[in-house]
Amino acid sequence: MMTKVKRSMLLALIGLILAAMVSCSSAEDKNNVAQTEQEKKQTVVRLEYWTPFSGGDNQFMTEMVDRFNAENPGIKVVQVNSRLDDYYSRLRTAIMSGSAPDLAILHQTSLPQFVQNGYIEQLSESAKQIGLDWTGFNKNILESTVYDGQPYAVPLDTHALVLYYNKTYLREAGLLDERSKPIIAKSTDGFTAFLQKLKTSIPPGVAPMAQPSTRIDSVWLWWSLYNQLQGGGAFYNEEVNNAVFNNPQALQALTYVDGLYKAKLIPPDINDSFKLFYDGDAAVLITGMWGTGAFEKADSLDFGVIPMPVLYDHPAVWGDSHTLAIPKKHGMTDEKKRAALIFAKWCVEHGAMWAEAGHVPSVTKVVASEPFNSLNYRSDYAATANYVAYWPRHVRQWSIVEILIQEFEKMNYSQQTPEQTLEAAVKRVNIELRK
């Protein structure tokens, strides 16, 4: 009887011991799982990413960020979007105060200021570590981001002027060929004749060509035509201490632009040329290729798009590029730099997503890919990237272009002649250079 009692007690004790072991094991497993999850959270690299996009651009970039985050759980990109109006002043202030983002979009035009002032990282070594191949970029686009032989930003695209046209109006005027492309002779006389024929055919109130009387559009058009002329395109002297664009080629191009306004082939007092074309109230619009994604959403608009016409000696067109740069930042770790470039590399490799906004991707294999070429319109102007005429490199180029805008507006409103416009602009730019 005692043997049975002892045996029962022994079995009960063994059961208690086993239960305790299972309980401890379970608790330990839970602790391990919790610890593993915590470690995973701790290894995620968070990147603050500043962008100046608006409208459709912002939508497409947000989609890219969301997709990257879903595909790369070890990196969390947090996009902070701002208005372009004050974007660069905010970014400069953040860099100088030590609170810069980890990654930022910079226009190519703004790069000289950020490079010269030491505001952004040089990327050659960091790019090697993540296998970023610079040879895969369009040479013209890449060159715009290289200083003293070293890359300072990853170019995302080029966005240049293109010519949008309303197929309905051109068809009625007999100005479409069998491929539904505009029939334009390659000369200034040919382009003028094209617009004059449109003017006689389109309904009253429709603009032959839409172009604002204010803002930068006429400056872009002049810069494109000036660079198309043999011997044209000079802005500064070799020492970059004097403006030299008051010359015969610059005057020839500007006189032609002024003539389009004078002949009312560009109607006066246009404020929003983009909306005018979108609403079907303009036959032709020369603006940036970022319009493509927006015009596709206009259900009643039957439009086409071609590169900027060559009216002089060779192809050239104003353009700029969005680039991805790493701001100089106190405490910026190598891990964050690597993550930032991994994201930049992913963006350029998925450039077909960004091309939905209308831009031409910077990587040549993306431009040759099926996803890019399956998009309507983009392949019609993709070659534009090869002959974009960027603004010259100067730390104050952005503000200097503002001077051109102000003087060109006076010409557009017949307050001064093209000769007076160039003379006044050069004088003001030279004063700015001496500050």
Side-chain angles (χ1 to χ4, degrees):
M1 187 72 178
M2 288 298 292
T3 303
K4 289 182 179 180
V5 170
K6 288 181 180 179
R7 186 177 300 164
S8 297
M9 291 176 65
L10 182 60
L11 290 174
L13 182 60
I14 291 172
L16 288 171
I17 293 171
L18 288 174
M21 291 175 64
V22 169
S23 177
C24 290
S25 177
S26 177
E28 186 177 350
D29 289 343
K30 287 179 181 178
N31 288 335
N32 288 338
V33 169
Q35 186 176 355
T36 301
E37 290 299 320
Q38 186 64 27
E39 287 174 355
K40 285 181 180 178
K41 289 180 181 179
Q42 290 174 349
T43 58
V44 172
V45 180
R46 184 184 182 279
L47 296 176
E48 186 177 341
Y49 171 43
W50 282 20
T51 64
F53 299 127
S54 60
D57 281 3
N58 185 42
Q59 172 193 334
F60 293 116
M61 179 52 68
T62 299
E63 290 174 359
M64 293 179 75
V65 169
D66 289 346
R67 180 170 163 185
F68 173 84
N69 286 337
E71 294 180 3
N72 297 268
I75 302 172
K76 174 69 173 179
V77 178
V78 179
Q79 183 185 4
V80 179
N81 194 59
S82 303
R83 295 181 312 157
L84 181 59
D85 295 352
D86 60 355
Y87 175 75
Y88 284 108
S89 60
R90 290 181 63 246
L91 182 57
R92 286 192 296 270
T93 300
I95 292 171
M96 290 186 287
S97 66
S99 57
D102 304 304
L103 189 67
I105 288 286
L106 293 181
H107 286 84
Q108 180 274 339
T109 305
S110 292
L111 274 179
Q113 178 184 144
F114 283 79
V115 172
Q116 182 167 314
N117 291 331
Y119 289 164
I120 57 176
E121 300 279 354
Q122 192 260 90
L123 302 180
S124 55
E125 287 304 316
S126 302
K128 285 180 185 176
Q129 294 174 12
I130 59 118
L132 182 62
D133 181 12
W134 299 110
T135 65
F137 290 87
N138 175 287
K139 290 182 180 179
N140 190 40
I141 300 175
L142 178 64
E143 182 59 30
S144 71
T145 65
V146 174
Y147 289 74
D148 296 326
Q150 301 298 330
Y152 278 83
V154 179
L156 180 60
D157 63 34
T158 193
H159 46 277
L161 294 186
V162 289
L163 185 146
Y164 295 98
Y165 57 96
N166 186 306
K167 291 183 179 180
T168 301
Y169 294 140
L170 268 65
R171 187 177 295 111
E172 291 172 354
L175 290 170
L176 283 186
D177 64 17
E178 66 281 357
R179 299 177 301 131
S180 291
K181 302 294 183 183
I183 301 171
I184 306 172
K186 292 186 177 181
S187 66
T188 52
D189 288 344
F191 191 65
T192 300
F194 166 78
L195 292 178
Q196 286 173 335
K197 190 171 182 180
L198 268 176
K199 188 177 180 180
T200 61
S201 170
I202 55 182
V206 174
M209 177 171 157
Q211 189 93 19
S213 299
T214 59
R215 298 187 299 278
I216 198 170
D217 299 68
S218 60
V219 176
W220 286 339
L221 181 57
W222 164 76
W223 181 248
S224 300
L225 298 179
Y226 176 35
N227 278 273
Q228 289 185 5
L229 283 158
Q230 191 67 36
F235 200 93
Y236 303 112
N237 61 1
E238 288 187 10
E239 294 74 25
V240 197
N241 57 15
N242 272 300
V244 296
F245 57 83
N246 186 8
N247 60 57
Q249 292 92 341
L251 180 59
Q252 183 178 351
L254 189 57
T255 300
Y256 181 71
V257 173
D258 183 54
L260 296 177
Y261 284 92
K262 291 284 193 297
K264 292 186 170 51
L265 296 172
I266 300 172
D269 301 321
I270 291 176
N271 180 38
D272 193 341
S273 59
F274 195 93
K275 185 176 186 302
L276 211 64
F277 186 80
Y278 187 97
D279 291 341
D281 293 325
V284 168
L285 172 67
I286 293 178
T287 192
M289 54 184 62
W290 54 81
T292 304
F295 293 143
E296 286 176 314
K297 297 176 183 177
D299 295 333
S300 60
L301 181 63
D302 184 14
F303 78 98
V305 57
I306 59 171
M308 174 73 193
V310 180
L311 304 187
Y312 290 114
D313 302 317
H314 50 253
V317 63
W318 170 87
D320 207 332
S321 290
H322 294 116
T323 74
L324 293 146
I326 299 178
K328 286 282 181 70
K329 183 175 181 179
H330 300 306
M332 180 72 164
T333 65
D334 290 339
E335 184 182 35
K336 279 209 169 189
K337 286 182 189 177
R338 176 182 172 83
L341 277 179
I342 287 173
F343 173 68
K345 181 173 181 281
W346 185 96
C347 284
V348 299
E349 289 175 347
H350 293 77
M353 290 182 68
W354 185 235
E356 291 183 38
H359 311 298
V360 175
S362 58
V363 174
T364 54
K365 70 177 182 181
V366 173
V367 175
S369 69
E370 190 279 331
F372 175 77
N373 287 285
S374 66
L375 298 170
N376 292 326
Y377 308 111
R378 280 75 171 173
S379 59
D380 292 336
Y381 55 70
T384 295
N386 299 322
Y387 50 82
V388 165
Y390 291 98
W391 286 118
R393 297 180 175 187
H394 192 279
V395 292
R396 291 199 296 276
Q397 191 63 34
W398 200 276
S399 60
I400 284 170
V401 170
E402 285 295 323
I403 293 173
L404 298 184
I405 294 170
Q406 293 163 14
E407 295 302 327
F408 278 42
E409 286 177 352
K410 296 175 186 176
M411 181 192 74
N412 295 342
Y413 284 105
S414 300
Q415 296 172 8
Q416 61 188 16
T417 65
E419 291 88 349
Q420 292 169 330
T421 298
L422 289 179
E423 184 179 353
V426 164
K427 183 177 180 179
R428 289 185 60 190
V429 169
N430 284 337
I431 292 172
E432 183 71 17
L433 291 175
R434 285 157 179 71
K435 286 182 180 179

